Amino acid sequence: MLARIDLRGSALPGVRDLAGLLPRAATDIDAVLATVRPLCEDVRVRGAQAVREITARLDGVDAEDFAVPAEAIRAALDGLEPAVRAALEQSIARVRRVHADQARSDVTTQVVRGGTVTERWVPVRRVGLYVPGGLAPLLSSVVMNVVPAQIAGVPSIAVASPPQRDHGGLPDPGVLAACALLGVDEVYAVGGAQAIAVFGYGAGSCEPVDLVTGPGNVYVTAAKRLLRGLIGIDSEAGPTEVAILADDTADPVHVAADLISQAEHDPLAGAVLVTTSEQLADAVLDLVPGQVAATKHSDRILTALDGSQSGVVLVDDVDAGLAVVDAYAAEHLEIQTRDARGVAMRVRNAGAVFVGAWSPVSLGDYIAGSNHVLPTGGCARHSSGLSVQTFLRGIHLVEYDEQALAEVAGHVDALAHAEDLPAHAAAVRLRQQQ
């Protein structure tokens, strides 16, 4: 459980080599494309009938219509436990507060007298939001996907989540209740790659979308890769992961609990402790078995912690630890060190950073106000988490008057001929000759 990697006592390798030494879940999306491709093509060609047959075969649910009735969405909210409803309402309020500050305003720049460029921010027309429902029904993901889309001003929002045999072939009631609280009334009981195909091609009453967001399993991710271009996607999400950078001031009880909480998601989830303290590492390893035994999904957690994607990395100092976590580029990164905020401000690569002993990843999963749809598998080196920006497109409006164009006609002419594109130059020169 949680194998050790000792990087103390010698210079750290380069970033690429270091990243290769660190624990990471192996997911081969290409390997499942052969399964996903005919499934998506079947939905494209046969539409709703294909969706019905695939859902019956894979999910054990045979429903003539996979659109969730409005009354079922209302009923889910009516039946929601008051404590869960209150928590969802608080989560929605906090996520809205944070994401409202991400709203973009149009900006006009006067380049010269008579010449301006305006950047307009325009929401996508229609989005499909995927909410997983396999090992855990992620009702919190409804909040994380819907709220930024609404703040961006997306006019048409559809949600898809897998049907549950225990709930009459409908998605999890908590997912439906979250949709009701957010005012989303277009929901489909369809999961996996077939849900992405429904969004991409349209099927039944679901019209095609322009963008698909939300996490999912490897089949969902493969379908997103396959349909990318036809639709926009947020990311190719892999198994979830947490890295914790800790020194001897960290509480081993907290550290063990946080590693376990992320391992609870999936047998492929990654849990990595990077520490300057061998004593802390020993204490965490001593605590983990007891904490795992006391929780519900112990088998799943043990599989994740025993896997090659999890481990303990020993480093000489916090600077070396920062180099390691930047090379790892975790989806979730906790900083439990002296001057945790100062250390966190030096992090370059992470989906989200959780600062200090009282900011566990679980807080961000639900109610911190941050977004929990984050880049995985090292993609935090170049990608960001879901935000209002995900649902917006920047469009430049170029407005020059006759005089402003005349002033740069010579420059256009010079550059056009340098690129051997004389018709470009002629399009400006002809205007000057009229």
Side-chain angles (χ1 to χ4, degrees), residues 313-325:
V313 181
L314 295 167
V315 292
D316 286 317
D317 50 38
V318 170
D319 286 345
L322 281 167
V324 168
V325 297

Side-chain angles (χ1 to χ4, degrees), residues 83-407:
V84 178
R85 177 168 182 158
L88 273 174
E89 289 172 340
Q90 185 63 224
S91 176
I92 291 167
R94 293 186 179 204
V95 172
R96 277 183 175 150
R97 186 177 304 168
V98 170
H99 288 69
D101 283 341
Q102 299 173 358
R104 305 297 294 264
S105 300
D106 294 355
V107 176
T108 298
T109 303
Q110 183 168 332
V111 183
V112 294
R113 184 185 297 274
T116 65
V117 174
T118 298
E119 185 164 42
R120 293 183 61 220
W121 292 100
V122 181
V124 296
R125 175 191 61 87
R126 176 166 164 79
V127 300
L129 310 178
Y130 187 77
V131 179
L135 293 177
L138 298 185
L139 52 158
S140 57
S141 279
V142 180
V143 179
M144 301 297 173
N145 281 271
V146 171
V147 168
Q150 290 178 332
I151 290 174
V154 176
S156 179
I157 296 174
V159 169
S161 191
Q164 308 291 321
R165 281 180 290 181
D166 294 343
H167 298 296
L170 296 174
D172 180 82
V175 169
L176 295 180
C179 289
L181 280 173
L182 288 159
V184 175
D185 56 11
E186 186 182 350
V187 184
Y188 298 99
V190 58
Q194 59 270 29
I196 308 305
V198 167
F199 281 150
Y201 299 120
S205 59
C206 183
E207 295 295 323
V209 305
D210 300 312
L211 173 70
V212 172
T213 71
N217 63 20
V218 67
Y219 297 98
V220 169
T221 302
K224 289 167 78 174
R225 175 180 290 185
L226 185 65
L227 271 63
R228 187 174 191 169
L230 175 67
I231 54 172
I233 66 170
D234 54 345
S235 66
E236 294 186 1
T240 191
E241 61 202 19
V242 62
I244 302 176
L245 176 58
D247 62 16
D248 60 353
T249 66
D251 186 328
V253 174
H254 295 175
V255 173
D258 293 351
L259 293 170
I260 289 167
S261 71
Q262 209 59 28
E264 183 177 38
H265 274 286
D266 190 305
L268 291 175
V272 178
L273 170 61
V274 180
T275 183
T276 61
S277 171
E278 189 165 8
Q279 291 73 25
L280 176 72
D282 290 340
V284 169
L285 290 171
D286 286 343
L287 286 164
V288 164
Q291 289 194 16
V292 171
T295 196
K296 179 179 180 180
H297 302 295
S298 56
D299 289 346
R300 184 191 309 169
I301 294 167
L302 286 173
T303 300
L305 296 181
D306 283 341
S308 60
Q309 72 272 21
S310 299
V312 175
V313 181
L314 295 167
V315 292
D316 286 317
D317 50 38
V318 170
D319 286 345
L322 281 167
V324 168
V325 297
D326 272 341
Y328 185 70
E331 177 189 16
H332 308 93
L333 173 63
E334 291 188 3
I335 305 294
Q336 298 195 36
T337 64
R338 294 176 180 83
D339 185 23
R341 180 171 175 79
V343 173
M345 293 301 290
R346 295 169 60 194
V347 172
R348 296 186 60 86
N349 302 330
V353 182
F354 299 82
V355 184
W358 310 110
S359 304
V361 169
S362 298
L363 179 70
D365 280 346
Y366 298 118
I367 209 161
S370 57
N371 203 295
H372 78 201
V373 182
L374 301 167
T376 62
C379 291
R381 291 181 294 105
H382 52 74
S383 300
S384 303
L386 201 71
S387 71
V388 172
Q389 181 68 44
T390 305
F391 301 94
L392 295 172
R393 296 158 297 133
I395 300 175
H396 279 177
L397 273 62
V398 179
E399 297 178 87
Y400 272 54
D401 63 20
E402 183 177 0
Q403 181 59 36
L405 178 62
E407 290 173 0

Side-chain angles (χ1 to χ4, degrees), residues 66-91:
F66 54 89
V68 177
E71 56 269 24
I73 299 173
R74 290 193 298 269
L77 182 57
D78 292 340
L80 192 63
E81 293 180 18
V84 178
R85 177 168 182 158
L88 273 174
E89 289 172 340
Q90 185 63 224
S91 176

